[in-house]
Amino acid sequence: MPTRTILITGANGEIGHGLIDHLSQHGGMHIIAMDLTQLDNAVKMKCHRTVTGDILDSSLLETLSTEHDFDTIYHLAALLSTRAERQPTLAHRVNVDGTLNLLEIAVTQSRLQGREIKFIYPSSIAVYGLPSLDAKTNAGKIKEGEWLEPRTMYGINKLYTEQLGRYYTHFYRQLDADPAKGRVDFRGVRFPGLISAATVPTGGTSDFAPEMLHAAAQGKPYACFVREDARIPFMAMPDAIKALLLLQAAPKQSLTRAVYNVGSFNPSAAELRSFIKQAFPSAAVTFAPDVKRQAIVDSWPADVDDSAARRDWNWSPDFGMDRSFNEYLIPAVKDRYKKR
Ligand SMILES: NC(=O)c1ccc[n+]([C@@H]2O[C@H](COP(=O)([O-])OP(=O)(O)OC[C@H]3O[C@@H](n4cnc5c(N)ncnc54)[C@H](O)[C@@H]3O)[C@@H](O)[C@H]2O)c1
């Protein structure tokens, strides 16, 4: 089999680390990794080529496109929810214009190679916007088409770019004489908050869960920025990587949507603390809700309905809450901080 070449943007981020780690272990592909920041050495070693640059730099992307034939683009680069709220115009540029640039590269690649290019995109539960806590409680598991009125710049960016992906797949330049010229196969997942044992996140509004865990493992006190009853869905990083790879590999004819919910477990912040305290009994977790960040969490669903992903591409998480904590997160964070 010929070696596949894949482009990963935002490669130095949390998902990038996990994805590159996984893909490099399975071989058979050249990974071209790009990020605004220089890639960590441990990640660099696993890539065919690393590029430090901005996804807003169209000429850099075009140059990359002339140098490689990409089979799949994993477009991970983004400004996450909290950072995006602090720098909304920058967020719009990176999250929307940046994604448009990558979709254009996918079209160019498709024309050059004469075949469809897969475009794998992590969207977010931030696309949802529930107007009140009552609505959130009554809504239960939310389906992909419901409650799409996000209140954050990040959520708006994600919702719009999902639509861009759908447009590039089905309607791109639909008035052209030969509209099938550039073919992009866009596939998105709406991730819940992700928890990794290997990296500590920055810039997200679901960060209270990983922050609580990593603080406990380091014996540091943690003041949680949401209320004890705050409840949103979460997923362990290995399941997030699994979702991206399963969706990438799914036969096109079995897909009925451009973007899918994926779920795993959904503890309240108090339940999270109890779980973490079982492993780290001396963990000093207090609750000091930040009203503004809490309001964002309150607008996100308590749970998602991922039956479409289960039906169309056999999605199911390997790790529920028990396994995520007991078999992955707790042992790995203990090991991580023991070494230091
Ligand atoms: N982590 C989560 O909980 C979560 C949940 C839902 C969706 N997502 C999505 O998954 C993707 C990856 O998230 P992550 O958790 O790895 O985030 P992250 O913040 O850890 O990584 C994002 C990476 O993008 C890079 N980047 C930012 N602007 C860039 C630019 N202009 N050009 C090139 N690189 C740039 C950053 O340097 C960073 O390394 C994002 O699209 C995010 O919205 C993440």
Side-chain angles (χ1 to χ4, degrees), residues 9-17 34-37 53-56 75-81 83 94-95 121-125 154 158 189-195 200-203 206-207 237:
T9 70
N12 211 23
E14 285 211 283
I15 299 182
H17 275 77
M34 177 184 178
D35 202 288
L36 202 53
T37 60
D54 192 333
I55 55 164
L56 294 176
H75 174 43
L76 312 180
L79 251 57
L80 273 63
S81 53
R83 233 191 114 194
V94 174
N95 296 349
Y121 186 62
S123 186
S124 161
I125 56 161
Y154 174 72
K158 287 290 186 188
V189 274
R190 288 185 186 154
F191 279 134
L194 302 180
I195 316 181
V200 190
T202 52
S206 57
D207 290 357
M237 191 57 82

mmCIF file of all heavy atoms in Angstrom, residues 9-17 34-37 53-56 75-81 83 94-95 121-125 154 158 189-195 200-203 206-207 237, ligand 1:
data_model
loop_
_atom_site.group_PDB
_atom_site.id
_atom_site.type_symbol
_atom_site.label_atom_id
_atom_site.label_comp_id
_atom_site.label_asym_id
_atom_site.label_seq_id
_atom_site.Cartn_x
_atom_site.Cartn_y
_atom_site.Cartn_z
ATOM 1 N N THR A 9 -3.354 20.202 11.442
ATOM 2 C CA THR A 9 -3.139 21.570 11.929
ATOM 3 C C THR A 9 -3.415 21.594 13.432
ATOM 4 O O THR A 9 -4.126 20.729 13.940
ATOM 5 C CB THR A 9 -4.090 22.577 11.244
ATOM 6 O OG1 THR A 9 -5.427 22.337 11.731
ATOM 7 C CG2 THR A 9 -4.064 22.452 9.729
ATOM 8 N N GLY A 10 -2.841 22.557 14.129
ATOM 9 C CA GLY A 10 -3.029 22.604 15.588
ATOM 10 C C GLY A 10 -2.403 21.384 16.241
ATOM 11 O O GLY A 10 -2.852 20.910 17.288
ATOM 12 N N ALA A 11 -1.338 20.884 15.604
ATOM 13 C CA ALA A 11 -0.739 19.605 16.008
ATOM 14 C C ALA A 11 -0.120 19.641 17.397
ATOM 15 O O ALA A 11 0.047 18.603 18.031
ATOM 16 C CB ALA A 11 0.320 19.202 14.979
ATOM 17 N N ASN A 12 0.209 20.837 17.863
ATOM 18 C CA ASN A 12 0.857 20.922 19.182
ATOM 19 C C ASN A 12 -0.150 20.987 20.331
ATOM 20 O O ASN A 12 0.238 21.131 21.486
ATOM 21 C CB ASN A 12 1.761 22.158 19.221
ATOM 22 C CG ASN A 12 2.970 21.947 20.126
ATOM 23 O OD1 ASN A 12 3.365 20.802 20.376
ATOM 24 N ND2 ASN A 12 3.540 23.022 20.625
ATOM 25 N N GLY A 13 -1.425 20.899 20.002
ATOM 26 C CA GLY A 13 -2.449 20.990 21.040
ATOM 27 C C GLY A 13 -2.716 19.643 21.680
ATOM 28 O O GLY A 13 -2.063 18.636 21.381
ATOM 29 N N GLU A 14 -3.705 19.633 22.570
ATOM 30 C CA GLU A 14 -4.029 18.416 23.329
ATOM 31 C C GLU A 14 -4.431 17.250 22.422
ATOM 32 O O GLU A 14 -3.939 16.143 22.567
ATOM 33 C CB GLU A 14 -5.221 18.706 24.240
ATOM 34 C CG GLU A 14 -4.911 19.533 25.443
ATOM 35 C CD GLU A 14 -5.849 19.133 26.570
ATOM 36 O OE1 GLU A 14 -7.009 19.558 26.518
ATOM 37 O OE2 GLU A 14 -5.413 18.383 27.458
ATOM 38 N N ILE A 15 -5.342 17.521 21.488
ATOM 39 C CA ILE A 15 -5.785 16.436 20.602
ATOM 40 C C ILE A 15 -4.656 16.060 19.647
ATOM 41 O O ILE A 15 -4.418 14.886 19.359
ATOM 42 C CB ILE A 15 -7.054 16.837 19.812
ATOM 43 C CG1 ILE A 15 -8.208 17.133 20.776
ATOM 44 C CG2 ILE A 15 -7.450 15.742 18.838
ATOM 45 C CD1 ILE A 15 -9.521 17.480 20.102
ATOM 46 N N GLY A 16 -3.931 17.081 19.165
ATOM 47 C CA GLY A 16 -2.805 16.831 18.251
ATOM 48 C C GLY A 16 -1.815 15.855 18.868
ATOM 49 O O GLY A 16 -1.395 14.881 18.216
ATOM 50 N N HIS A 17 -1.461 16.070 20.121
ATOM 51 C CA HIS A 17 -0.525 15.166 20.800
ATOM 52 C C HIS A 17 -1.059 13.731 20.784
ATOM 53 O O HIS A 17 -0.343 12.794 20.429
ATOM 54 C CB HIS A 17 -0.321 15.593 22.261
ATOM 55 C CG HIS A 17 0.733 16.649 22.444
ATOM 56 N ND1 HIS A 17 0.515 17.964 22.150
ATOM 57 C CD2 HIS A 17 2.007 16.567 22.891
ATOM 58 C CE1 HIS A 17 1.613 18.660 22.420
ATOM 59 N NE2 HIS A 17 2.539 17.837 22.865
ATOM 60 N N MET A 34 1.444 20.836 11.652
ATOM 61 C CA MET A 34 1.594 22.285 11.606
ATOM 62 C C MET A 34 1.001 22.900 12.864
ATOM 63 O O MET A 34 -0.037 22.462 13.356
ATOM 64 C CB MET A 34 0.846 22.795 10.378
ATOM 65 C CG MET A 34 0.878 24.283 10.263
ATOM 66 S SD MET A 34 -0.109 24.807 8.867
ATOM 67 C CE MET A 34 0.087 26.554 9.040
ATOM 68 N N ASP A 35 1.652 23.921 13.361
ATOM 69 C CA ASP A 35 1.111 24.658 14.511
ATOM 70 C C ASP A 35 1.765 26.035 14.552
ATOM 71 O O ASP A 35 2.862 26.243 14.029
ATOM 72 C CB ASP A 35 1.379 23.910 15.835
ATOM 73 C CG ASP A 35 0.405 24.324 16.943
ATOM 74 O OD1 ASP A 35 0.535 25.460 17.462
ATOM 75 O OD2 ASP A 35 -0.490 23.533 17.274
ATOM 76 N N LEU A 36 1.077 26.941 15.221
ATOM 77 C CA LEU A 36 1.607 28.293 15.428
ATOM 78 C C LEU A 36 2.855 28.239 16.309
ATOM 79 O O LEU A 36 3.773 29.037 16.161
ATOM 80 C CB LEU A 36 0.514 29.101 16.142
ATOM 81 C CG LEU A 36 0.512 30.610 16.080
ATOM 82 C CD1 LEU A 36 0.566 31.106 14.641
ATOM 83 C CD2 LEU A 36 -0.763 31.140 16.758
ATOM 84 N N THR A 37 2.846 27.307 17.248
ATOM 85 C CA THR A 37 4.001 27.170 18.145
ATOM 86 C C THR A 37 4.843 25.985 17.683
ATOM 87 O O THR A 37 4.335 25.060 17.036
ATOM 88 C CB THR A 37 3.542 26.907 19.593
ATOM 89 O OG1 THR A 37 2.770 25.701 19.618
ATOM 90 C CG2 THR A 37 2.696 28.052 20.130
ATOM 91 N N GLY A 53 3.816 27.650 11.798
ATOM 92 C CA GLY A 53 3.187 28.690 10.986
ATOM 93 C C GLY A 53 1.725 28.860 11.342
ATOM 94 O O GLY A 53 1.164 28.112 12.144
ATOM 95 N N ASP A 54 1.144 29.871 10.690
ATOM 96 C CA ASP A 54 -0.217 30.314 11.004
ATOM 97 C C ASP A 54 -1.180 29.821 9.929
ATOM 98 O O ASP A 54 -0.895 29.970 8.732
ATOM 99 C CB ASP A 54 -0.180 31.862 11.030
ATOM 100 C CG ASP A 54 -1.429 32.461 11.631
ATOM 101 O OD1 ASP A 54 -2.498 31.830 11.569
ATOM 102 O OD2 ASP A 54 -1.330 33.589 12.156
ATOM 103 N N ILE A 55 -2.315 29.277 10.337
ATOM 104 C CA ILE A 55 -3.288 28.837 9.323
ATOM 105 C C ILE A 55 -3.914 30.023 8.586
ATOM 106 O O ILE A 55 -4.597 29.843 7.593
ATOM 107 C CB ILE A 55 -4.405 27.934 9.917
ATOM 108 C CG1 ILE A 55 -5.125 28.628 11.080
ATOM 109 C CG2 ILE A 55 -3.871 26.583 10.313
ATOM 110 C CD1 ILE A 55 -6.439 27.979 11.453
ATOM 111 N N LEU A 56 -3.665 31.232 9.082
ATOM 112 C CA LEU A 56 -4.157 32.406 8.353
ATOM 113 C C LEU A 56 -3.186 32.804 7.227
ATOM 114 O O LEU A 56 -3.493 33.690 6.428
ATOM 115 C CB LEU A 56 -4.351 33.576 9.325
ATOM 116 C CG LEU A 56 -5.453 33.339 10.355
ATOM 117 C CD1 LEU A 56 -5.538 34.470 11.358
ATOM 118 C CD2 LEU A 56 -6.803 33.143 9.663
ATOM 119 N N HIS A 75 -8.130 19.030 10.721
ATOM 120 C CA HIS A 75 -7.989 20.469 11.009
ATOM 121 C C HIS A 75 -8.347 20.728 12.481
ATOM 122 O O HIS A 75 -9.517 20.881 12.829
ATOM 123 C CB HIS A 75 -8.870 21.269 10.057
ATOM 124 C CG HIS A 75 -8.883 22.719 10.388
ATOM 125 N ND1 HIS A 75 -7.737 23.410 10.733
ATOM 126 C CD2 HIS A 75 -9.897 23.630 10.437
ATOM 127 C CE1 HIS A 75 -8.049 24.678 10.996
ATOM 128 N NE2 HIS A 75 -9.356 24.832 10.829
ATOM 129 N N LEU A 76 -7.314 20.785 13.311
ATOM 130 C CA LEU A 76 -7.526 20.913 14.761
ATOM 131 C C LEU A 76 -7.264 22.330 15.268
ATOM 132 O O LEU A 76 -7.694 22.676 16.375
ATOM 133 C CB LEU A 76 -6.596 19.952 15.523
ATOM 134 C CG LEU A 76 -6.523 18.492 15.062
ATOM 135 C CD1 LEU A 76 -5.546 17.711 15.945
ATOM 136 C CD2 LEU A 76 -7.890 17.839 15.111
ATOM 137 N N ALA A 77 -6.527 23.136 14.516
ATOM 138 C CA ALA A 77 -6.119 24.458 15.037
ATOM 139 C C ALA A 77 -7.342 25.324 15.312
ATOM 140 O O ALA A 77 -8.246 25.425 14.480
ATOM 141 C CB ALA A 77 -5.205 25.159 14.033
ATOM 142 N N ALA A 78 -7.372 25.921 16.481
ATOM 143 C CA ALA A 78 -8.495 26.800 16.855
ATOM 144 C C ALA A 78 -8.131 27.582 18.102
ATOM 145 O O ALA A 78 -7.191 27.245 18.816
ATOM 146 C CB ALA A 78 -9.752 25.963 17.126
ATOM 147 N N LEU A 79 -8.912 28.628 18.342
ATOM 148 C CA LEU A 79 -8.894 29.299 19.646
ATOM 149 C C LEU A 79 -10.090 28.757 20.408
ATOM 150 O O LEU A 79 -11.217 28.833 19.918
ATOM 151 C CB LEU A 79 -9.070 30.813 19.458
ATOM 152 C CG LEU A 79 -7.846 31.694 19.724
ATOM 153 C CD1 LEU A 79 -6.694 31.263 18.840
ATOM 154 C CD2 LEU A 79 -8.181 33.139 19.476
ATOM 155 N N LEU A 80 -9.871 28.210 21.600
ATOM 156 C CA LEU A 80 -10.954 27.567 22.345
ATOM 157 C C LEU A 80 -11.853 28.589 23.057
ATOM 158 O O LEU A 80 -11.600 29.788 23.013
ATOM 159 C CB LEU A 80 -10.387 26.495 23.281
ATOM 160 C CG LEU A 80 -10.239 25.130 22.574
ATOM 161 C CD1 LEU A 80 -9.260 25.156 21.435
ATOM 162 C CD2 LEU A 80 -9.860 24.028 23.542
ATOM 163 N N SER A 81 -12.880 28.083 23.735
ATOM 164 C CA SER A 81 -14.006 28.953 24.119
ATOM 165 C C SER A 81 -13.650 30.146 25.006
ATOM 166 O O SER A 81 -14.099 31.262 24.746
ATOM 167 C CB SER A 81 -15.100 28.120 24.787
ATOM 168 O OG SER A 81 -14.565 27.357 25.841
ATOM 169 N N ARG A 83 -10.682 31.588 25.570
ATOM 170 C CA ARG A 83 -9.794 32.516 24.853
ATOM 171 C C ARG A 83 -10.557 33.257 23.763
ATOM 172 O O ARG A 83 -10.363 34.449 23.538
ATOM 173 C CB ARG A 83 -8.627 31.746 24.238
ATOM 174 C CG ARG A 83 -7.314 32.371 24.674
ATOM 175 C CD ARG A 83 -6.129 31.871 23.925
ATOM 176 N NE ARG A 83 -5.547 32.938 23.129
ATOM 177 C CZ ARG A 83 -4.668 32.734 22.179
ATOM 178 N NH1 ARG A 83 -4.273 31.512 21.892
ATOM 179 N NH2 ARG A 83 -4.175 33.755 21.509
ATOM 180 N N VAL A 94 -9.251 33.151 13.237
ATOM 181 C CA VAL A 94 -8.595 31.828 13.285
ATOM 182 C C VAL A 94 -9.617 30.708 13.039
ATOM 183 O O VAL A 94 -9.393 29.813 12.224
ATOM 184 C CB VAL A 94 -7.888 31.619 14.648
ATOM 185 C CG1 VAL A 94 -7.337 30.191 14.764
ATOM 186 C CG2 VAL A 94 -6.772 32.644 14.829
ATOM 187 N N ASN A 95 -10.745 30.791 13.738
ATOM 188 C CA ASN A 95 -11.691 29.665 13.714
ATOM 189 C C ASN A 95 -12.499 29.603 12.420
ATOM 190 O O ASN A 95 -12.827 28.513 11.957
ATOM 191 C CB ASN A 95 -12.643 29.738 14.916
ATOM 192 C CG ASN A 95 -11.902 29.578 16.239
ATOM 193 O OD1 ASN A 95 -10.724 29.221 16.270
ATOM 194 N ND2 ASN A 95 -12.579 29.866 17.344
ATOM 195 N N TYR A 121 -12.936 17.165 11.198
ATOM 196 C CA TYR A 121 -13.063 18.425 11.926
ATOM 197 C C TYR A 121 -13.666 18.222 13.316
ATOM 198 O O TYR A 121 -14.789 17.719 13.445
ATOM 199 C CB TYR A 121 -13.971 19.348 11.116
ATOM 200 C CG TYR A 121 -14.084 20.737 11.684
ATOM 201 C CD1 TYR A 121 -12.964 21.548 11.790
ATOM 202 C CD2 TYR A 121 -15.313 21.241 12.099
ATOM 203 C CE1 TYR A 121 -13.060 22.825 12.305
ATOM 204 C CE2 TYR A 121 -15.419 22.527 12.607
ATOM 205 C CZ TYR A 121 -14.289 23.314 12.706
ATOM 206 O OH TYR A 121 -14.386 24.578 13.218
ATOM 207 N N PRO A 122 -12.938 18.617 14.369
ATOM 208 C CA PRO A 122 -13.527 18.548 15.699
ATOM 209 C C PRO A 122 -14.337 19.798 15.997
ATOM 210 O O PRO A 122 -13.791 20.881 16.171
ATOM 211 C CB PRO A 122 -12.305 18.450 16.626
ATOM 212 C CG PRO A 122 -11.195 19.087 15.873
ATOM 213 C CD PRO A 122 -11.550 19.075 14.411
ATOM 214 N N SER A 123 -15.659 19.616 16.031
ATOM 215 C CA SER A 123 -16.516 20.702 16.480
ATOM 216 C C SER A 123 -16.762 20.494 17.973
ATOM 217 O O SER A 123 -15.967 19.804 18.633
ATOM 218 C CB SER A 123 -17.815 20.708 15.670
ATOM 219 O OG SER A 123 -18.587 21.847 16.004
ATOM 220 N N SER A 124 -17.805 21.075 18.509
ATOM 221 C CA SER A 124 -17.916 21.106 19.970
ATOM 222 C C SER A 124 -19.373 21.217 20.406
ATOM 223 O O SER A 124 -20.223 21.745 19.674
ATOM 224 C CB SER A 124 -17.142 22.335 20.455
ATOM 225 O OG SER A 124 -17.534 22.697 21.752
ATOM 226 N N ILE A 125 -19.625 20.780 21.656
ATOM 227 C CA ILE A 125 -20.961 20.989 22.233
ATOM 228 C C ILE A 125 -21.231 22.477 22.443
ATOM 229 O O ILE A 125 -22.353 22.851 22.772
ATOM 230 C CB ILE A 125 -21.138 20.246 23.578
ATOM 231 C CG1 ILE A 125 -20.050 20.656 24.589
ATOM 232 C CG2 ILE A 125 -21.201 18.748 23.372
ATOM 233 C CD1 ILE A 125 -20.402 20.348 26.033
ATOM 234 N N TYR A 154 -16.950 31.275 20.152
ATOM 235 C CA TYR A 154 -16.416 29.955 19.778
ATOM 236 C C TYR A 154 -17.537 29.052 19.238
ATOM 237 O O TYR A 154 -17.386 28.419 18.191
ATOM 238 C CB TYR A 154 -15.778 29.346 21.021
ATOM 239 C CG TYR A 154 -15.283 27.932 20.911
ATOM 240 C CD1 TYR A 154 -14.139 27.623 20.172
ATOM 241 C CD2 TYR A 154 -15.922 26.889 21.596
ATOM 242 C CE1 TYR A 154 -13.660 26.320 20.113
ATOM 243 C CE2 TYR A 154 -15.443 25.591 21.544
ATOM 244 C CZ TYR A 154 -14.317 25.306 20.801
ATOM 245 O OH TYR A 154 -13.844 24.024 20.751
ATOM 246 N N LYS A 158 -17.893 27.580 15.503
ATOM 247 C CA LYS A 158 -17.963 26.138 15.220
ATOM 248 C C LYS A 158 -19.211 25.793 14.408
ATOM 249 O O LYS A 158 -19.156 25.009 13.464
ATOM 250 C CB LYS A 158 -17.939 25.332 16.529
ATOM 251 C CG LYS A 158 -16.589 25.301 17.220
ATOM 252 C CD LYS A 158 -15.582 24.463 16.442
ATOM 253 C CE LYS A 158 -14.268 24.302 17.178
ATOM 254 N NZ LYS A 158 -13.238 23.652 16.356
ATOM 255 N N VAL A 189 -17.126 15.929 14.209
ATOM 256 C CA VAL A 189 -17.701 15.430 15.469
ATOM 257 C C VAL A 189 -17.822 16.588 16.437
ATOM 258 O O VAL A 189 -16.933 17.435 16.509
ATOM 259 C CB VAL A 189 -16.831 14.357 16.185
ATOM 260 C CG1 VAL A 189 -17.114 12.989 15.673
ATOM 261 C CG2 VAL A 189 -15.369 14.680 16.153
ATOM 262 N N ARG A 190 -18.907 16.604 17.182
ATOM 263 C CA ARG A 190 -19.058 17.610 18.240
ATOM 264 C C ARG A 190 -18.575 16.995 19.548
ATOM 265 O O ARG A 190 -19.280 16.194 20.156
ATOM 266 C CB ARG A 190 -20.532 18.024 18.365
ATOM 267 C CG ARG A 190 -20.981 18.866 17.208
ATOM 268 C CD ARG A 190 -22.411 19.352 17.419
ATOM 269 N NE ARG A 190 -22.874 20.038 16.221
ATOM 270 C CZ ARG A 190 -24.139 20.134 15.864
ATOM 271 N NH1 ARG A 190 -25.095 19.596 16.608
ATOM 272 N NH2 ARG A 190 -24.481 20.782 14.766
ATOM 273 N N PHE A 191 -17.363 17.381 19.912
ATOM 274 C CA PHE A 191 -16.800 16.815 21.137
ATOM 275 C C PHE A 191 -17.383 17.471 22.373
ATOM 276 O O PHE A 191 -17.622 18.678 22.394
ATOM 277 C CB PHE A 191 -15.279 17.018 21.176
ATOM 278 C CG PHE A 191 -14.494 16.018 20.383
ATOM 279 C CD1 PHE A 191 -13.469 16.430 19.545
ATOM 280 C CD2 PHE A 191 -14.755 14.653 20.498
ATOM 281 C CE1 PHE A 191 -12.727 15.508 18.822
ATOM 282 C CE2 PHE A 191 -14.021 13.720 19.781
ATOM 283 C CZ PHE A 191 -13.007 14.151 18.942
ATOM 284 N N PRO A 192 -17.513 16.668 23.450
ATOM 285 C CA PRO A 192 -17.772 17.258 24.767
ATOM 286 C C PRO A 192 -16.429 17.751 25.322
ATOM 287 O O PRO A 192 -15.422 17.767 24.599
ATOM 288 C CB PRO A 192 -18.304 16.068 25.561
ATOM 289 C CG PRO A 192 -17.679 14.865 24.941
ATOM 290 C CD PRO A 192 -17.448 15.209 23.484
ATOM 291 N N GLY A 193 -16.381 18.124 26.601
ATOM 292 C CA GLY A 193 -15.111 18.487 27.213
ATOM 293 C C GLY A 193 -14.198 17.274 27.220
ATOM 294 O O GLY A 193 -14.638 16.169 27.540
ATOM 295 N N LEU A 194 -12.948 17.470 26.844
ATOM 296 C CA LEU A 194 -12.014 16.338 26.781
ATOM 297 C C LEU A 194 -11.063 16.376 27.967
ATOM 298 O O LEU A 194 -10.642 17.451 28.397
ATOM 299 C CB LEU A 194 -11.225 16.388 25.470
ATOM 300 C CG LEU A 194 -12.086 16.370 24.203
ATOM 301 C CD1 LEU A 194 -11.216 16.430 22.961
ATOM 302 C CD2 LEU A 194 -12.993 15.138 24.170
ATOM 303 N N ILE A 195 -10.745 15.184 28.468
ATOM 304 C CA ILE A 195 -9.815 15.092 29.597
ATOM 305 C C ILE A 195 -8.659 14.180 29.198
ATOM 306 O O ILE A 195 -8.869 13.025 28.837
ATOM 307 C CB ILE A 195 -10.479 14.521 30.874
ATOM 308 C CG1 ILE A 195 -11.869 15.147 31.114
ATOM 309 C CG2 ILE A 195 -9.584 14.758 32.088
ATOM 310 C CD1 ILE A 195 -12.575 14.638 32.367
ATOM 311 N N VAL A 200 -2.330 19.398 30.086
ATOM 312 C CA VAL A 200 -3.276 20.218 30.859
ATOM 313 C C VAL A 200 -3.799 21.289 29.900
ATOM 314 O O VAL A 200 -3.022 21.991 29.280
ATOM 315 C CB VAL A 200 -2.585 20.902 32.057
ATOM 316 C CG1 VAL A 200 -3.618 21.552 32.976
ATOM 317 C CG2 VAL A 200 -1.744 19.907 32.824
ATOM 318 N N PRO A 201 -5.114 21.373 29.761
ATOM 319 C CA PRO A 201 -5.647 22.298 28.768
ATOM 320 C C PRO A 201 -5.561 23.755 29.210
ATOM 321 O O PRO A 201 -5.451 24.037 30.410
ATOM 322 C CB PRO A 201 -7.113 21.883 28.666
ATOM 323 C CG PRO A 201 -7.432 21.331 30.014
ATOM 324 C CD PRO A 201 -6.169 20.688 30.508
ATOM 325 N N THR A 202 -5.644 24.645 28.234
ATOM 326 C CA THR A 202 -5.774 26.073 28.548
ATOM 327 C C THR A 202 -6.784 26.649 27.573
ATOM 328 O O THR A 202 -6.830 26.235 26.418
ATOM 329 C CB THR A 202 -4.448 26.848 28.330
ATOM 330 O OG1 THR A 202 -3.980 26.555 27.021
ATOM 331 C CG2 THR A 202 -3.404 26.518 29.365
ATOM 332 N N GLY A 203 -7.588 27.552 28.038
ATOM 333 C CA GLY A 203 -8.436 28.299 27.117
ATOM 334 C C GLY A 203 -9.816 27.736 26.874
ATOM 335 O O GLY A 203 -10.589 28.299 26.104
ATOM 336 N N SER A 206 -14.604 23.967 29.591
ATOM 337 C CA SER A 206 -14.769 22.679 30.285
ATOM 338 C C SER A 206 -13.495 22.318 31.048
ATOM 339 O O SER A 206 -13.398 21.217 31.594
ATOM 340 C CB SER A 206 -15.103 21.581 29.265
ATOM 341 O OG SER A 206 -14.083 21.516 28.286
ATOM 342 N N ASP A 207 -12.549 23.235 31.102
ATOM 343 C CA ASP A 207 -11.242 22.925 31.711
ATOM 344 C C ASP A 207 -11.324 22.612 33.202
ATOM 345 O O ASP A 207 -10.363 22.087 33.772
ATOM 346 C CB ASP A 207 -10.264 24.104 31.529
ATOM 347 C CG ASP A 207 -9.818 24.287 30.081
ATOM 348 O OD1 ASP A 207 -10.228 23.467 29.239
ATOM 349 O OD2 ASP A 207 -9.086 25.248 29.798
ATOM 350 N N MET A 237 -9.475 11.384 26.521
ATOM 351 C CA MET A 237 -8.786 11.640 25.241
ATOM 352 C C MET A 237 -8.682 10.405 24.331
ATOM 353 O O MET A 237 -8.905 10.540 23.113
ATOM 354 C CB MET A 237 -7.395 12.236 25.508
ATOM 355 C CG MET A 237 -6.709 12.767 24.286
ATOM 356 S SD MET A 237 -7.656 14.041 23.399
ATOM 357 C CE MET A 237 -7.273 15.494 24.356
HETATM 358 N N1 LIG B 1 -10.123 19.999 24.150
HETATM 359 C C1 LIG B 1 -11.458 19.992 24.158
HETATM 360 O O1 LIG B 1 -12.072 19.803 25.220
HETATM 361 C C2 LIG B 1 -12.209 20.198 22.870
HETATM 362 C C3 LIG B 1 -13.600 19.998 22.880
HETATM 363 C C4 LIG B 1 -14.314 20.207 21.709
HETATM 364 C C5 LIG B 1 -13.643 20.552 20.536
HETATM 365 N N2 LIG B 1 -12.294 20.730 20.558
HETATM 366 C C6 LIG B 1 -11.651 21.142 19.299
HETATM 367 O O2 LIG B 1 -10.566 20.297 18.995
HETATM 368 C C7 LIG B 1 -9.540 21.040 18.324
HETATM 369 C C8 LIG B 1 -8.230 20.861 19.045
HETATM 370 O O3 LIG B 1 -8.414 21.211 20.388
HETATM 371 P P1 LIG B 1 -7.283 21.034 21.487
HETATM 372 O O4 LIG B 1 -7.949 20.624 22.737
HETATM 373 O O5 LIG B 1 -6.176 20.225 20.954
HETATM 374 O O6 LIG B 1 -6.877 22.565 21.654
HETATM 375 P P2 LIG B 1 -5.483 23.202 22.031
HETATM 376 O O7 LIG B 1 -5.730 24.611 22.423
HETATM 377 O O8 LIG B 1 -4.759 22.301 22.966
HETATM 378 O O9 LIG B 1 -4.734 23.154 20.631
HETATM 379 C C9 LIG B 1 -5.013 24.038 19.587
HETATM 380 C C10 LIG B 1 -3.719 24.240 18.827
HETATM 381 O O10 LIG B 1 -3.989 25.122 17.738
HETATM 382 C C11 LIG B 1 -2.865 25.954 17.585
HETATM 383 N N3 LIG B 1 -3.258 27.175 16.886
HETATM 384 C C12 LIG B 1 -4.035 28.176 17.365
HETATM 385 N N4 LIG B 1 -4.135 29.153 16.449
HETATM 386 C C13 LIG B 1 -3.410 28.749 15.379
HETATM 387 C C14 LIG B 1 -3.115 29.326 14.123
HETATM 388 N N5 LIG B 1 -3.582 30.545 13.792
HETATM 389 N N6 LIG B 1 -2.350 28.647 13.257
HETATM 390 C C15 LIG B 1 -1.847 27.421 13.586
HETATM 391 N N7 LIG B 1 -2.082 26.834 14.772
HETATM 392 C C16 LIG B 1 -2.859 27.490 15.652
HETATM 393 C C17 LIG B 1 -2.403 26.248 19.014
HETATM 394 O O11 LIG B 1 -1.060 26.685 19.038
HETATM 395 C C18 LIG B 1 -2.632 24.905 19.686
HETATM 396 O O12 LIG B 1 -1.456 24.123 19.688
HETATM 397 C C19 LIG B 1 -10.036 22.490 18.288
HETATM 398 O O13 LIG B 1 -10.627 22.725 17.032
HETATM 399 C C20 LIG B 1 -11.069 22.525 19.373
HETATM 400 O O14 LIG B 1 -12.027 23.516 19.115
HETATM 401 C C21 LIG B 1 -11.564 20.547 21.690
#
